[in-house]
Amino acid sequence: MTEGEGMATTEKSVAIEAKGLAKWVSDGNDKLSILQDINLQVQTGESLAMVGPSGCGKSTLLGLLAGLDTPSEGEVYWAGEAIASLSEEQRSLRRNGRFGFVFQSFQLLPQLNALENVMLPLELRGDRDAKQKAQSMLSEVGLAGRERHFPATLSGGEQQRVALARAFVVTPDLLFADEPTGSLDYESGARVMELFFNLQKSLGTTLIIVTHDESLSKACSRRLRMQAGRIV
């Protein structure tokens, strides 16, 4: 069952699709099923929240859609291209500059300051304007004047805003977020949520979020509920 207002498939192209997706692990004797028979489409520019109890398979599905893990069965398509046919190097090349990631644990590099953390994905793709673009994006998320601060000297909300800036600075086609407000207090979470959707709408990014945050999920254009490894 999907909740909320869906996007018209006739007006949008399909950014990402899963067909017959399943994931299980085996210890040689028993098979533990994590995901079963997952079929979904996410339209270009759509914001999709995946909700459900802990252990229902949300984060596993996110990893499969992002190509960070491989399914036991079924297929994932990026803009119509089956990613099973791609090598890991080819997947990385497809993701580079097109995909953004935001996680609950921020995953900032502690030895780099805020500006350097945001510059990193731009430098990896050889962008000559990395510093200027990173400064502009930090200003966009309200961190002008905090560029030289290292993660350890920033609050949780500030660190998550640096992570947002790093994810959006490459103007990604797709952004995957796993519990992006899970480590934040209410006020910081609300600020991050507002930034999320402002940036998503201004850049036209397709957004896929795993969250327990009801206000965050309801702000998405569509909500997908999972239970025991299935879409219910």
Side-chain angles (χ1 to χ4, degrees), residues 88-126:
E88 182 51 45
E89 182 180 2
Q90 288 172 322
R91 291 184 199 180
S92 295
L93 289 172
R94 296 290 195 283
R95 283 192 294 261
N96 187 28
R98 291 183 55 208
F99 288 10
F101 297 90
V102 179
F103 301 97
Q104 180 177 352
S105 57
F106 315 137
Q107 296 193 355
L108 302 177
L109 295 179
Q111 71 274 23
L112 301 182
N113 62 34
L115 179 63
E116 291 165 339
N117 265 286
V118 179
M119 287 173 60
L120 186 60
L122 295 170
E123 291 178 326
L124 289 174
R125 73 179 188 186

Side-chain angles (χ1 to χ4, degrees), residues 45 137 140 168 171 195-205:
M137 186 56 71
E140 187 79 13
F168 277 107
T171 57
L195 287 168
F196 237 117
F197 291 104
N198 286 344
L199 290 168
Q200 184 251 340
K201 289 173 184 175
S202 66
L203 297 175
T205 301

Side-chain angles (χ1 to χ4, degrees), residues 12-158:
K12 297 282 187 178
S13 60
V14 177
I16 195 162
E17 182 175 13
K19 290 184 178 180
L21 215 58
K23 182 70 177 180
W24 62 76
V25 293
S26 175
D27 62 4
N29 296 314
D30 298 315
K31 185 171 73 172
L32 174 63
S33 177
I34 301 171
L35 291 174
Q36 306 171 59
D37 194 29
I38 300 293
N39 296 281
L40 68 90
Q41 289 185 347
V42 184
Q43 309 300 318
T44 300
E46 184 178 14
S47 55
L48 173 71
M50 296 193 292
V51 301
S54 297
C56 70
K58 303 185 303 293
S59 293
T60 299
L61 177 55
L62 191 78
L64 293 176
L65 295 175
L68 302 176
D69 193 8
T70 55
S72 303
E73 198 172 87
E75 187 59 88
V76 174
Y77 299 84
W78 293 340
E81 181 177 32
I83 67 173
S85 62
L86 305 176
S87 67
E88 182 51 45
E89 182 180 2
Q90 288 172 322
R91 291 184 199 180
S92 295
L93 289 172
R94 296 290 195 283
R95 283 192 294 261
N96 187 28
R98 291 183 55 208
F99 288 10
F101 297 90
V102 179
F103 301 97
Q104 180 177 352
S105 57
F106 315 137
Q107 296 193 355
L108 302 177
L109 295 179
Q111 71 274 23
L112 301 182
N113 62 34
L115 179 63
E116 291 165 339
N117 265 286
V118 179
M119 287 173 60
L120 186 60
L122 295 170
E123 291 178 326
L124 289 174
R125 73 179 188 186
D127 198 312
R128 294 181 180 181
D129 299 321
K131 184 175 181 179
Q132 180 181 350
K133 289 178 179 178
Q135 287 176 324
S136 177
M137 186 56 71
L138 282 169
S139 179
E140 187 79 13
V141 299
L143 291 176
R146 305 286 279 172
E147 297 94 341
R148 303 297 174 184
H149 288 253
F150 288 86
T153 67
L154 298 171
S155 70
E158 288 174 327

